[in-house]
Amino acid sequence: DYFDLKMPNVLTPNNDGLNDCFEIDADNKLQECSDLHVFNRWGELMYVSAGNQHRWCGRTFAGENVPTGTYFYIFDINGILFKGTVMVIR
């Protein structure tokens, strides 16, 4: 209840400045005790952000664009898990 987290559910990485990245904004209060993991529908890890800015712009670890589809995230705040989906539309 301490945080009012806004979890977006659509990502359109087309460089128009609108919804280009999936970002969890927690006013920099969670940087050292939180992790963001993003998975594809087969459970493969696409992105992880541990203690950094929690921002995923629809790319794999290798920097390749992920295909259009639904991706799953787990946002872990010191053991408290927030789970959801984000749709990537290209």
Side-chain angles (χ1 to χ4, degrees):
D1 292 339
Y2 180 73
F3 300 104
D4 182 22
L5 299 177
K6 293 175 178 67
M7 307 287 202
N9 60 2
V10 176
L11 169 65
T12 57
N14 59 3
N15 295 319
D16 68 353
L18 300 171
N19 299 320
D20 287 329
C21 293
F22 172 75
E23 185 170 14
I24 298 175
D25 182 18
D27 300 325
N28 294 325
K29 297 176 186 175
L30 305 173
Q31 302 303 55
E32 295 181 17
C33 63
S34 61
D35 302 310
L36 172 66
H37 293 82
V38 178
F39 303 89
N40 66 12
R41 66 182 184 175
W42 295 281
E44 296 173 302
L45 187 62
M46 298 282 104
Y47 174 80
V48 65
S49 172
N52 309 354
Q53 182 179 18
H54 303 301
R55 179 183 177 128
W56 179 57
C57 296
R59 295 184 179 271
T60 65
F61 288 113
E64 299 173 2
N65 289 333
V66 298
T68 295
T70 301
Y71 293 82
F72 303 87
Y73 67 82
I74 299 174
F75 188 53
D76 181 351
I77 304 173
N78 206 23
I80 300 170
L81 303 180
F82 295 87
K83 299 177 182 181
T85 61
V86 60
M87 176 68 134
V88 175
I89 301 172
R90 293 197 179 275

